[in-house]
Amino acid sequence: MGRPGTGGGVRGGGVRGGGVELPESEWVPMTLDTPFDLASLTKLFTSVAAVQQIERGRLGIDARVSAYLPDFHAVRRYGTTVRQLLTHTSGLRPELPLYACADDTERLELLRAEEPASAPGTYVYSDLNMLLLQHVLERLTGRTLDVLVDEGITRPLGMTSTDFGPCPGAAATEDQRRPWAKVDRGMLRGEVHDENAWALGGVAGHAGLFSTGRDLAVFCRTLLNGGSYGTARILGADHVDLLLDRPGLGFAVDQAWFMGELAGRGAAGHTGFTGTSLVVDRATDTFLVLLANTVHPRRRQGGSGPRARAGTRVARAVRGVGASGLV
C-alpha cells in the first residue's frame, strides 16, 4: 500500500516541473482503513455485475450488444457481442477523449459512432468495452451502475467502504496538470483520477470505484468461496468459474508480468493505473491485494515489477519455499 499524500488544491512547478506535494509535516498517515482509487479494478465489479445478469438469464453472453443498444450503430454493424466486451476482443481501441467533449450528449454520440479499430476477435485491452457494458447493464436493468454494484455486490457483502466517489479521506493521486495529464485539475484526493471517468461524473464501467484493503479482501474471499461470503451469495460457483477460468471475463488469467509466480495455475486478477492490483489464486486458496498511489504526485514511467515481486513472495510462501528463496 502507499502513502496517502496531500490534500486538495495544491499547485506548483513549471510546465516542465513535477507534481507538488505538501510539506512532510502536513502529510496524512495511511491506515488500514484508508480508501484508494481503484482505477481499472473497477472493471472487475462491472464484470461481476454483468455475470449476475447472465446467471439470471437476462443477459446473453453471446448475444449481440445491439440487442440491448440498438442505437449504437457502429457495434451493430460489426455484430459485437457481450462476450467480446468482457474478454476485450471487440477490436475497439483502448480509449476515446471523452474528457474533451462539451457535454454528455457529445460523449454518447462519440461512443455510438466508434467502430472497431482491429478485427473483432482480436485482443485489444480497451476501456471502451466496459463503458459499452455499462450502457448495456443500465439499459437492461433500468438502474445505474453504482446502484447495481451497491445492491448486487458491496451491500450484500458488507463492503461498506467501497463506492464510487467522491471519497473524502482517500489517498491522494495526482497533481494533475498538463503536459503529463490530459486535463488541468490540480491535486486530486477523493476524486476519480481517470479523466474519462471524471468527465462521466465519476461513475464509469472502467474506473471510478474507491475501496480499502479490508473490503477487497472480502471481495477476493467471496470469489475463492465460489460466490458466497458468510450468509451472502452474489454468484453461483459455476458463474464464478465463468469469470475466472481462461480466458477470463473481465479478469486477466495467468499474467506473470503483474502476478509473478502466482501465475501459471489459473490465477486471475487485474491491475489499476493508480498503482492497484488484485490476484485470486484458486490453486492455493490465496489472494493478494496491493493498494498504492504511485501516480502521486505525478504519473511517470514505471512498471509492474513491485506487483510481480509481491506475487512471487506470496506464491513461494504458500507453496512452502523457505525464506532464503524469497526475492
Side-chain angles (χ1 to χ4, degrees):
M1 297 176 74
R3 167 171 53 78
T6 69
V10 179
R11 304 282 290 179
V15 171
R16 294 186 179 182
V20 176
E21 294 180 318
L22 287 175
E24 188 171 353
S25 61
E26 298 181 41
W27 289 359
V28 180
M30 185 193 71
T31 72
L32 290 175
D33 297 321
T34 298
F36 283 76
D37 182 335
L38 297 187
S40 284
L41 295 193
T42 301
K43 292 180 172 75
L44 303 183
F45 290 80
T46 304
S47 299
V48 170
V51 173
Q52 287 177 329
Q53 297 303 316
I54 292 169
E55 182 180 47
R56 294 165 190 167
R58 301 187 66 190
L59 180 65
I61 189 169
D62 289 310
R64 293 192 174 193
V65 172
S66 59
Y68 310 98
L69 302 175
D71 51 325
F72 281 60
H73 45 87
V75 293
R76 184 178 68 241
R77 282 199 302 273
Y78 284 84
T80 305
T81 67
V82 172
R83 187 188 296 272
Q84 288 173 340
L85 298 183
L86 282 161
T87 55
H88 294 283
T89 55
S90 67
L92 292 167
R93 58 176 156 162
E95 63 177 2
L96 285 170
L98 301 177
Y99 55 85
C101 294
D103 52 34
D104 286 343
T105 299
E106 186 177 336
R107 280 184 274 273
L108 184 58
E109 284 306 311
L110 206 59
L111 279 173
R112 284 173 172 160
E114 182 65 14
E115 297 186 353
S118 303
T122 305
Y123 179 84
V124 179
Y125 177 79
S126 173
D127 290 347
L128 304 185
N129 289 315
M130 293 297 159
L131 285 173
L132 286 181
L133 191 59
Q134 175 185 1
H135 280 283
V136 169
L137 292 172
E138 292 182 344
R139 192 80 62 88
L140 178 68
T141 65
R143 291 179 168 86
T144 56
L145 180 64
D146 54 332
V147 173
L148 290 172
V149 169
D150 173 65
E151 292 181 348
I153 304 171
T154 57
R155 193 191 307 175
L157 296 177
M159 296 172 61
T160 57
S161 298
T162 304
D163 204 353
F164 290 91
C167 181
T173 52
E174 186 175 27
D175 183 8
Q176 199 167 86
R177 293 181 284 120
R178 290 185 173 94
W180 57 82
K182 300 167 186 172
V183 292
D184 284 299
R185 297 170 61 198
M187 181 61 71
L188 304 180
R189 186 180 183 202
E191 292 183 67
V192 62
H193 175 269
D194 182 88
E195 294 93 342
N196 278 341
W198 165 71
L200 292 166
V203 178
H206 70 289
L209 277 176
F210 291 79
S211 189
T212 63
R214 285 172 170 162
D215 269 17
L216 290 178
V218 171
F219 181 69
C220 291
R221 177 46 58 191
T222 301
L223 295 171
L224 289 170
N225 287 351
S228 297
Y229 184 80
T231 60
R233 175 193 178 280
I234 64 167
L235 275 175
D238 54 341
H239 283 80
V240 172
D241 290 344
L242 195 62
L243 281 163
L244 304 183
D245 286 348
R246 192 182 299 275
L249 298 182
F251 288 76
V253 180
D254 284 336
Q255 298 296 308
W257 63 272
F258 77 90
M259 298 177 181
E261 292 180 13
L262 281 173
R265 295 195 289 177
H270 212 285
T271 64
F273 186 77
T274 50
T276 61
S277 59
L278 176 158
V279 184
V280 292
D281 181 25
R282 290 177 291 175
T284 58
D285 194 38
T286 302
F287 63 86
L288 171 62
V289 172
L290 178 63
L291 298 177
N293 53 348
T294 53
V295 294
H296 181 79
R298 62 160 287 186
R299 68 188 74 182
R300 51 201 178 275
Q301 292 296 323
S304 284
R307 291 175 172 129
R309 288 192 291 273
T312 293
R313 284 180 175 270
V314 170
R316 293 185 181 184
V318 298
R319 293 169 187 170
V321 175
S324 62
L326 298 181
V327 294

